[in-house]
Amino acid sequence: MTSAAGQGGQTAMAAESREERISGVVSDARAFALDSDGFACARVFDEPEVWRVELLMSQTFLPSVNVFVVRDGAETLIVDTGTPDDYNDTRLMRALVRLGVDPAHATLFCTHAHIDHSGQARELAEAGVRVTLSRATLADMRRFSTPTYCDYMAERLVGEGVGAAEAEEMANSIWAHVTDFERDEVPCRVLAAGDVVRCGRWEFKTVPVPGHMPGQTALWLPERGLAFTGDVVLYACSTCICFWGGSDDALGDQLSTLRRVADMGVEHAFLGHGVQEGVLAERCLGNVAHHERRSERALAAVGERPGSTGRELVPSLGWHAPFETWEKVPALTRWFLVSESVAHLDHLVCCGRIRREKDDAGVNRYWLA
């Protein structure tokens, strides 16, 4: 058995060892720990030099979110920020210090407006990092961060048969996950589609990839077959598609994006969550097929139960969800399930396969076209 004094000595040595691993500027190391919880920073590409910083992802079923750091000489490009909290703030800043990032020569690019991709922009800007984003992403921020937009989302849910109190709870749960650089007074440079983001020798082209959000934008380096794709496609799960109001057919936008990205020739995709596991084009087209199967389930459900509300059709779309204890499901998860179900119904309406009619209470009901 180890004595209390011996245990204390081992703890002190472990802490000292951990600090040795996470302090000082990285030299030849290709990975280093960010803390004792397993979050790490690892070099994932050599030319250009790309590092993946893994940060905690809270409040959803995804365990982590990625920040990428590109280094070329004195210049640095940071792609996305991770979710803001005390742990992630420390982890990200520790990684940047260890990588020798000079904020005066660093640029941040946010792929989209969700808080797990843009929520630490203010901290980086205050440190001296230049913040950039696409004009479409800034438009998302302007639209989605207003209280009237939260009201719109709640009203849309009520219009699909969700109770008013639950609709408000669900709308507030997602509304809290959108950032707004103008409201938060984050100085930023706005880019048009096709503009480039430079890092030393490298010029990354901005490519609109709407669907997950209307303004989502990827960075593309065609000479290396490399892209930072945000949440266009993931391997851990299917990217969530919701009704955002910026498009009548968010799912249709996502399907077009997936097909276009599959044709771009991306060999090395750096994703918003997790890592690439196989050929990206195959994953994109597999995701297309996945969404199309779910739409077919929605179509069949409308045929079996004509006149159903959107909320009544949700369980028929093939979700792995505990509908028998629906009220115990977190509000944010319920938002994802209902809003993506409605996105499928929107898509079928836009394709002319079903029709939507309001009943006397103003609730949408669905019928085969």
Side-chain angles (χ1 to χ4, degrees):
M1 293 180 66
T2 305
S3 68
Q7 289 177 339
Q10 289 177 354
T11 300
M13 286 188 294
E16 182 179 356
S17 175
R18 185 173 73 243
E19 287 305 313
E20 288 175 353
R21 291 200 305 272
I22 62 179
S23 62
V25 177
V26 68
S27 53
D28 295 330
R30 297 187 67 87
F32 54 89
L34 296 174
D35 56 24
S36 60
D37 296 328
F39 291 93
C41 179
R43 187 163 172 165
V44 292
F45 206 77
D46 289 330
E47 192 69 12
E49 180 184 331
V50 181
W51 292 77
R52 175 193 178 214
V53 184
E54 185 183 18
L55 299 178
L56 175 68
M57 181 70 179
S58 59
Q59 300 184 25
T60 75
F61 55 87
L62 290 169
S64 65
V65 58
N66 296 327
V67 174
F68 293 101
V69 180
V70 184
R71 302 196 309 176
D72 192 63
E75 297 294 318
T76 300
L77 169 64
I78 304 166
V79 182
D80 288 338
T81 73
T83 307
D85 61 47
D86 290 342
Y87 295 102
N88 278 347
D89 291 351
T90 301
R91 291 182 181 110
L92 178 57
M93 294 307 176
R94 182 175 285 160
L96 296 177
V97 169
R98 184 78 190 271
L99 292 172
V101 173
D102 179 356
H105 295 92
T107 298
L108 166 68
F109 180 83
C110 295
T111 59
H112 59 291
H114 283 153
I115 198 169
D116 53 321
H117 297 265
S118 58
Q120 296 196 81
R122 172 187 275 178
E123 287 79 1
L124 292 172
E126 289 175 348
V129 175
R130 298 180 298 272
V131 177
T132 63
L133 74 170
S134 71
R135 181 173 291 119
T137 294
L138 184 60
D140 283 350
M141 290 182 174
R142 287 171 175 164
R143 183 165 62 250
F144 300 148
S145 63
T146 63
T148 55
Y149 188 79
C150 186
D151 293 341
Y152 155 76
M153 290 190 290
E155 290 167 3
R156 180 71 201 273
L157 290 169
V158 170
E160 296 298 330
V162 178
E166 183 182 14
E168 183 177 358
E169 178 191 24
M170 291 162 59
N172 277 314
S173 73
I174 189 65
W175 186 59
H177 286 74
V178 177
T179 54
D180 183 353
F181 290 172
E182 292 177 329
R183 177 198 62 195
D184 299 336
E185 298 182 342
V186 177
C188 58
R189 177 180 171 226
V190 180
L191 305 174
D195 283 353
V196 299
V197 179
R198 293 179 174 83
C199 179
R201 296 166 292 157
W202 309 104
E203 293 188 350
F204 297 86
K205 182 181 179 182
T206 58
V207 179
V209 283
H212 178 61
M213 288 197 90
Q216 183 170 235
T217 303
L219 292 181
W220 170 225
L221 189 65
E223 63 266 35
R224 287 290 184 266
L226 179 157
F228 298 99
T229 54
D231 288 351
V232 169
V233 63
L234 305 176
Y235 284 77
C237 61
S238 171
T239 300
C240 180
I241 311 301
C242 304
F243 56 84
W244 292 114
S247 169
D248 292 333
D249 187 5
L251 179 59
D253 294 340
Q254 174 70 356
L255 297 177
S256 296
T257 287
L258 288 168
R259 293 186 177 104
R260 182 159 44 83
V261 171
D263 289 339
M264 282 173 56
V266 177
E267 297 178 12
H268 311 284
F270 298 110
L271 318 175
H273 305 271
V275 297
Q276 182 179 351
E277 302 173 13
V279 178
L280 186 75
E282 293 177 357
R283 178 60 179 170
C284 288
L285 296 179
N287 211 214
V288 168
H290 164 80
H291 285 304
E292 289 179 337
R293 287 192 297 271
R294 181 152 282 151
S295 286
E296 289 301 318
R297 290 193 189 102
L299 183 68
V302 172
E304 292 168 2
R305 295 186 301 282
S308 295
T309 67
R311 174 62 186 87
E312 290 168 343
L313 293 167
V314 172
S316 300
L317 270 68
W319 305 109
H320 297 292
F323 291 105
E324 66 280 2
T325 56
W326 178 253
E327 69 282 353
K328 295 181 180 179
V329 177
L332 186 60
T333 301
R334 281 180 275 134
W335 158 265
F336 288 140
L337 293 169
V338 176
S339 63
E340 185 161 342
S341 297
V342 173
H344 280 273
L345 297 172
D346 286 345
H347 180 60
L348 291 170
V349 169
C350 288
C351 291
R353 303 185 72 185
I354 63 175
R355 71 180 193 275
R356 175 188 291 132
E357 297 178 0
K358 289 188 180 298
D359 62 19
D360 293 340
V363 175
N364 292 325
R365 295 186 177 275
Y366 293 89
W367 312 79
L368 293 179

